[in-house]
Amino acid sequence: MREVLDDLVAAMAAGHTVGLGTVVRTFRSAPRPAGAAMMVDADGSAVGSVSGGCVEGALYELATKVVESRRPVLQRYGISDDAAFEVGLTCGGILDIFVEPVSTEIFPELPQVADDVGAGRPVAIVTVIEHPDPAWLGRHLVVRPDGFVGSLGSERADHAVSDDVQGLLAAGRNATLMYGPDGQRRGEGMRVFALSFAPQPRMLVFGAIDFAAAVAKQGTFLGYRVTVCDARAVFATAARFPQADEVVVEWPHRYLQAQISAGQVDERTVICVLTHDPKFDVPLLELALRHNVAYVGAMGSRRTHHDRLERLREAGLTEAELARLSSPIGLDLGSRTPEETAVSIAAEIIALHWGGGGGRLSTMEARIHHEPTVEAGHEDAGYELKPG
């Protein structure tokens, strides 16, 4: 939807009612991911794409009808056995597209959403795409890290959906979510689509070792854009780290400084230092601990940790800055293998972000879901989740 947002807001400002089609679910080899959108303006012009040309003609006609009727429609496009070319999806994929009328009267919060997107502030749009009561269809909730505006139809539904979408927004993910008609977590009947506008958070992994490959895999699974960096070209190769988005050969502290200077490191960035070599990790940690990031963890034994702290104190770091360091890295899960260690590191990152204690839920009375302790945020492929 990002590609049509400015045109959409401009049309609304001109007093138009626009037909907007958004991909909310995909199956198999669908040509465009969830979140892709196409709008049809009152003057007949169309902007955007939902399938690279496969179903745009059919969607254009449907969007025009939706504007006339003012009633949203959830439409599935795909290949059928008896009419493989009926809508042109020859790729074999299936798209669910929610088509809705949009105007200032229908969605007054959208211009502010566009402002948030333009400023790089995390924000999500939640839309009711299925409900037994037609009056709920097309209702919107705008979710931000500090709360929400708008309503889906009831206070219970608003709070349940907002709570779940906070997690999607933190990861910059889109998803369809299923609830009961009034927002019951274990019910069925209401389906919403959450569209997140947030740059993908970064995970910087320093040290091209076997543990780094496992950590990179966990980072990708959690929705981070993962970079593995090491000064040794023989170890820092894409073949050794297929789960990473990029592999960089550079001295760690030089790379981090360049990324900070370029504005590519923010308060959502997590940094995992796996080198446990003073010539690499001390200058790197000196820089990382003085910058506003979500997490800094360093691998090593307790002896290595104490030696590292002394070297960092000699470099001039304060006790408050040193307190931000998670070392030895990870939670106490009894991990042994690189994969198990990566899970413990991921668990610590999640716990620090959401304020969890890392204990067993079966022994606790407190609520399961926590409020975020750090702002976090890639429009991504949609998927379906059932909260619970």
Side-chain angles (χ1 to χ4, degrees), residues 74-114:
L74 180 62
Q75 180 68 45
R76 175 164 292 183
Y77 293 100
I79 288 181
S80 62
D81 293 336
D82 57 347
F85 294 91
E86 183 176 354
V87 296
L89 266 179
T90 56
C91 61
I94 298 173
L95 300 173
D96 279 354
I97 300 178
F98 187 70
V99 189
E100 59 185 313
V102 179
S103 66
T104 300
E105 179 183 359
I106 296 171
F107 197 177
E109 299 88 1
L110 189 59
Q112 183 58 55
V113 170

Side-chain angles (χ1 to χ4, degrees), residues 209-219 241 337-343:
I209 63 176
D210 51 355
F211 287 90
V215 171
K217 186 175 182 179
Q218 282 290 320
F241 302 97
T337 67
E339 291 75 17
E340 291 173 347
T341 301
V343 170

Side-chain angles (χ1 to χ4, degrees), residues 51 86 126 129 156 160 191 204 289 353 366 383 386:
S51 69
E86 183 176 354
V126 183
I129 61 173
R156 176 178 183 174
R191 196 188 307 270
L204 306 181
L289 293 171
H353 173 73
Y383 53 95
K386 186 167 182 180

Side-chain angles (χ1 to χ4, degrees), residues 243-261:
Q243 298 290 337
D245 293 281
E246 58 181 348
V247 180
V248 176
V249 179
E250 178 60 278
W251 278 75
H253 71 284
R254 292 175 182 168
Y255 176 73
L256 181 58
Q257 182 60 71
Q259 292 298 292
I260 291 173
S261 299

Side-chain angles (χ1 to χ4, degrees), residues 357-365:
R360 299 182 66 189
L361 291 174
S362 63
T363 65
M364 299 169 59
E365 297 294 333

Side-chain angles (χ1 to χ4, degrees), residues 1 9 17 38 43 48 62 78 91 113 160 181 209 211 241 249-250 255 263 266 268 277 289 299 314 347 380:
M1 183 177 174
V9 172
T17 299
M38 170 181 155
D43 61 5
L62 180 57
C91 61
V113 170
I209 63 176
F211 287 90
F241 302 97
V249 179
E250 178 60 278
Y255 176 73
D266 60 24
R268 301 170 301 125
D277 184 333
L289 293 171
M299 177 174 282
E314 292 174 3
D380 208 344

Side-chain angles (χ1 to χ4, degrees), residues 160 164 177-179 184-186 385-388:
D164 295 327
L177 305 172
M178 176 75 83
Y179 300 87
Q184 301 94 327
R185 291 184 179 277
R186 295 196 177 276
L385 298 174
K386 186 167 182 180

